[in-house]
Amino acid sequence: MMLKTLLRLSAPARRPSRPGLALLSLLVLAGASNGYGADAPPPVPQGASLAAYAGKIVYVDFWASWCGPCAQSFPWLNRMQARYGDRLRIVAVNLDTDAGAAREFLGRHPARFDVLYDPAGQLAEHYRIGGMPSAVILDAGGHVLHQHTGFRDADTGDYEAAIRSALDHPSTANGAAP
Amino acid sequence: MSLRLLTIVLFALGTSACSGMNVKPWQRGTLARADMQLDPNPLQTRFEEHIYFSKEAASGGRGFGGGGCGCN
Amino acid sequence: MQLTDADPKDRRRLSLALATVGLLGVAGAVPAAADDAPRDWTFDTGLLFYKENGGRVQVIEPAVDATLDLGNDRTLSAGFVVDSLSGATPNGAAPAATPQTFTQPSGRGKTYTTAPGATPLDHTFEDTRFAGDLGYLFPLTGGSKLGVGLSGSKEYDFTSVGANAHYALDLNQKNTTLTAGAAFEYDQVDPVGNAPVPLSVMVDAEKTGGSQKSKNVKDLLLGLTQVLGPKGLLQLNYSLSLSNGYENDPYKILSVVDANAVPQYYVYEKRPGSRTKNALFAEYKRFVFGRDVVDLSYRYFTDSWGVRAHTASLAYRWNFTERKSLEPSLRFYSQRQADFFHSALYTGQDATVDYASADPRLGAFNAWTGGLGYRQILVNGHELSVHVEYYKQFSRAAGVPQQAAAALSQFNLAPDLAAVNITLGYRFNW
């Protein structure tokens, strides 16, 4: 089931507090990316809307057809979407520049969750993802509750614990619109 | 941890001058191709190295690691 | 888009997912999959045919590499190769104006004769080598990986065992990778008919240099791989090799000639007991025309025996369809002879030299290789390949003793070597 939904975020994403990791990331990005100062706000993608996900916890998964672990993650994502049903919306953001490659991948690894296409990498840039695949869990207000890079079978317990923790997060209770 | 941090700082500073060559993790589709790996045909390479090792005096040099999709 | 990249080694996980869905009682359409069989193995098989000109060496070499994805970025690998060699190889003696007779390495009165003017070749080599290796690769914390491995090989007169480890550290969001590798190898040679005493005269009697010789080799590799934009990759490596022990080829001799190039007797070669090799290597790969790949590499080699070599290589992979490719390649190699390389020795010189060898492998030559490879991904996802190469060495005479130079110039002291090889390959997941 594929739904083309645009995401708009009301506030810039906040990172989980881990000072060493934050400093590390900023330094690497200072070296690796062009033009971003450590304190300049990143660009928000134009015309994005989170309306469809109001009051829901969103698990944003960044993937591409050429990423082996992404192929391994799809069955697990299907399971998570089935298990947490309506309370959790999984959105898999595709970063292929070749749409045909993404389609072919989805033929081999069907997704029973929403798929979004971001060939220019704007959303990936916005969330400053550090590796492929990457996942970001957002609360109803669009704040980043959890972020992880990579997908490993051995860590799926941790990923699911993060989902459960996000579902129990206080901001979910009031279901505030973004 | 701090030694790794120091290494990262040095490299980030070192590469910030040539930051144009670094790519974002999601821009590695081409690098992930089988034919863009450093040794896409290891068996063929081994045959060739074996032949050259038995006919020539020089050997060595080839390495491993790096490039690719950078996943996980 | 390469089918072999994100190729489902995940089919096992897919079938696990289906099982879990079933247990939870959640109804859902069964995802269409070509099959649900586990795909954790990758097999890479190949067969090499190699043949030199002039009745020289011929090799048939089947090989298999198997890789098992253990999940969580851990990989097990194993390889096996059988190397069946036959044909003639130069024994190091120089051509002469009259027939020359040499004792076979096994001694016991068996001899072989070389015609006048011809390069003496020993036809008695027929050997089969078996070699295997095992490896295990796993991630360490901090974005690094470690691989460890064992290797071994066995042939009639030679046994080798080794261990290796290699480490890779990713930096700059994996745009930069630092690598370090180390290997240790122990070789033992049991020469046919015993080892000769180096620089002793070749006679038709039991050789007295000992029955078992050994050497050990320690290798170190340091490397840097750097991504150069979304379509480029650069690798720089330095390798060091330290070898100690029995470095001689127990079957190679040198002619000791007079001023008229008439061979007086033959002596066994002698090489130093240690060898230090250095190599600097650079490789650049670039994706071009939105379809093809160019691969350029260069290596500079020096060692403590005085050898200097340059190797330059260019390959162009033309992906003319999504599943088929043609890859022409060209390689140029240039080598300067070892310090102790001699085409022949002058009478008495065998008593004064520290080391001497006439092994063409240590001589001076340029070599060109032209190759063409074809690769096809089949409908079932397997990959078929055929690769043909033509190799030619253009040798230059070196180490010619001055006193006999004029007389020796009537012979071809540095014959060219030409060889063809064909490799068939088949790779598949299972």
Side-chain angles (χ1 to χ4, degrees):
Chain A
M1 223 176 29
M2 284 184 241
L3 234 120
K4 282 210 185 210
T5 317
L6 297 171
L7 289 172
R8 180 186 52 205
L9 302 127
S10 54
R14 224 177 347 107
R15 293 189 167 276
S17 60
R18 277 179 67 187
L21 183 61
L23 178 59
L24 205 65
S25 314
L26 285 171
L27 281 168
V28 169
L29 288 164
S33 61
N34 290 326
Y36 284 173
D39 44 5
V44 176
Q46 293 301 312
S49 160
L50 193 54
Y53 298 109
K56 306 222 190 268
I57 299 298
V58 188
Y59 183 108
V60 187
D61 181 78
F62 293 90
W63 67 280
S65 65
W66 42 262
C67 157
C70 300
Q72 294 168 18
S73 70
F74 268 44
W76 180 81
L77 288 169
N78 280 332
R79 273 210 303 287
M80 292 299 106
Q81 181 68 90
R83 183 170 297 169
Y84 296 100
D86 226 33
R87 305 167 60 206
L88 174 76
R89 292 311 292 271
I90 297 181
V91 181
V93 178
N94 173 255
L95 294 160
D96 275 289
T97 48
D98 172 11
R103 261 197 305 278
E104 198 274 345
F105 180 96
L106 290 168
R108 283 186 288 127
H109 312 280
R112 290 196 287 274
F113 40 81
D114 295 348
V115 176
L116 198 69
Y117 294 88
D118 183 25
Q122 287 183 303
L123 281 165
E125 191 75 73
H126 180 92
Y127 287 103
R128 292 179 166 164
I129 65 163
M132 287 295 287
S134 266
V136 173
I137 302 181
L138 306 175
D139 70 8
H143 302 108
V144 176
L145 297 173
H146 169 87
Q147 184 154 357
H148 73 254
T149 306
F151 179 86
R152 290 171 196 85
D153 262 353
D155 296 339
T156 51
D158 294 340
Y159 307 152
E160 189 166 359
I163 290 174
R164 275 207 274 268
S165 149
L167 290 174
D168 295 336
H169 195 268
S171 75
T172 318
N174 40 11
Chain B
M1 179 67 187
S2 60
L3 181 62
R4 174 160 158 69
L5 186 59
L6 180 66
T7 316
I8 302 284
V9 170
L10 288 172
F11 264 89
L13 290 172
T15 57
S16 60
C18 359
S19 60
M21 63 190 179
N22 286 332
V23 298
K24 299 289 160 66
W26 58 91
Q27 295 173 329
R28 297 184 75 119
T30 301
L31 295 167
R33 292 171 58 102
D35 55 12
M36 277 298 287
Q37 304 314 302
L38 285 169
D39 191 8
N41 309 308
L43 210 56
Q44 176 69 34
T45 304
R46 234 162 348 96
F47 282 145
E48 285 172 16
E49 305 256 287
H50 177 220
I51 292 169
Y52 293 131
F53 183 79
S54 57
K55 295 293 144 189
E56 299 171 348
S59 61
R62 284 202 172 267
F64 56 90
C69 89
C71 301
N72 269 16
Chain C
M1 192 257 313
Q2 296 289 310
L3 289 177
T4 47
D5 280 324
D7 212 25
K9 291 188 185 21
D10 57 351
R11 296 233 188 253
R12 181 178 63 131
R13 283 154 196 100
L14 184 60
S15 51
L16 277 180
L18 292 174
T20 313
V21 165
L23 284 171
L24 289 176
V26 175
V30 173
D35 58 58
D36 286 326
R39 290 290 167 124
D40 300 308
W41 289 93
T42 303
F43 287 98
D44 202 352
T45 67
L47 183 60
L48 168 73
F49 298 98
Y50 171 89
K51 184 170 162 57
E52 292 173 0
N53 61 332
R56 291 180 54 173
V57 170
Q58 268 177 243
V59 174
I60 297 178
E61 190 167 322
V64 183
D65 268 352
T67 309
L68 174 61
D69 180 1
L70 299 167
N72 297 308
D73 307 320
R74 294 167 307 137
T75 311
L76 197 62
S77 59
F80 191 66
V81 58
V82 182
D83 186 350
S84 188
L85 184 148
S86 61
T89 191
N91 63 11
T98 53
Q100 303 182 72
T101 302
F102 305 94
T103 37
Q104 290 184 15
S106 55
R108 287 181 255 126
K110 290 201 184 146
T111 63
Y112 60 95
T113 306
T114 303
T119 304
L121 300 173
D122 184 347
H123 299 86
T124 61
F125 279 100
E126 239 175 60
D127 205 358
T128 303
R129 179 182 73 112
F130 299 90
D133 62 84
L134 278 174
Y136 178 61
L137 181 67
F138 57 99
L140 295 174
T141 55
S144 59
K145 294 187 262 259
L146 183 66
V148 292
L150 294 171
S151 62
S153 84
K154 178 91 187 86
E155 57 199 272
Y156 180 66
D157 57 357
F158 181 84
T159 309
S160 165
V161 290
N164 60 77
H166 53 270
Y167 174 76
L169 175 68
D170 288 317
L171 302 166
N172 284 339
Q173 292 192 325
K174 303 194 183 188
N175 281 290
T176 308
T177 306
L178 297 178
T179 58
F184 177 80
E185 186 183 287
Y186 176 76
D187 298 339
Q188 196 166 282
V189 58
D190 292 82
V192 175
N194 287 339
V197 173
L199 291 179
S200 67
V201 178
M202 180 190 209
V203 294
D204 186 10
E206 178 97 333
K207 283 167 277 186
T208 55
S211 62
Q212 212 176 68
K213 299 289 181 187
S214 69
K215 79 171 193 276
N216 65 73
V217 184
K218 294 174 271 249
D219 286 317
L220 176 71
L221 176 73
L222 295 173
L224 171 88
T225 307
Q226 175 65 46
V227 166
L228 297 178
K231 301 177 191 175
L233 194 62
L234 176 70
Q235 178 171 79
L236 298 166
N237 296 320
Y238 167 70
S239 71
L240 173 69
S241 178
L242 301 166
S243 179
N244 285 285
Y246 187 75
E247 304 283 344
N248 302 335
D249 183 328
Y251 310 120
K252 292 267 190 293
I253 56 178
L254 293 102
S255 300
V256 181
V257 301
D258 64 11
N260 297 314
V262 175
Q264 308 299 295
Y265 49 93
Y266 309 96
V267 295
Y268 293 102
E269 69 161 37
K270 184 177 184 185
R271 306 185 191 190
S274 70
R275 184 179 187 188
T276 302
K277 303 192 232 180
N278 298 279
L280 269 173
F281 175 83
E283 181 173 5
Y284 176 63
K285 289 190 84 119
R286 184 160 183 90
F287 187 65
V288 295
F289 303 125
R291 179 198 63 199
D292 304 334
V293 181
V294 181
D295 188 325
L296 275 163
S297 69
Y298 170 74
R299 173 186 63 191
Y300 177 65
F301 172 94
T302 70
D303 73 4
S304 58
W305 288 358
V307 176
R308 299 275 182 278
H310 301 274
T311 314
S313 179
L314 170 66
Y316 187 88
R317 177 154 159 167
W318 174 31
N319 293 305
F320 58 95
T321 76
E322 215 178 79
R323 291 167 172 254
K324 299 182 194 176
S325 67
L326 266 178
E327 184 169 347
S329 60
L330 195 62
R331 175 186 185 268
F332 173 72
Y333 177 86
S334 168
Q335 170 175 310
R336 187 184 90 182
Q337 76 274 14
D339 295 333
F340 53 87
F341 178 83
H342 292 88
S343 295
L345 295 173
Y346 183 68
T347 325
Q349 206 181 355
D350 51 306
T352 60
V353 290
D354 290 324
Y355 310 107
S357 174
D359 187 345
R361 210 167 137 200
L362 295 175
F365 58 86
N366 289 347
W368 285 93
T369 311
L372 186 63
Y374 172 74
R375 245 158 227 284
Q376 179 174 350
I377 296 175
L378 306 173
V379 174
N380 58 10
H382 300 182
E383 188 183 270
L384 180 69
S385 62
V386 182
H387 191 97
V388 180
E389 267 182 1
Y390 179 72
Y391 176 71
K392 180 119 191 228
Q393 277 184 1
F394 298 91
S395 305
R396 321 187 268 285
V400 183
Q402 212 202 357
Q403 304 91 322
L408 282 169
S409 64
Q410 64 178 298
F411 304 114
N412 183 2
L413 294 174
D416 294 343
L417 168 74
V420 173
N421 73 72
I422 299 174
T423 309
L424 304 172
Y426 197 75
R427 176 154 58 187
F428 59 97
N429 294 334
W430 183 69

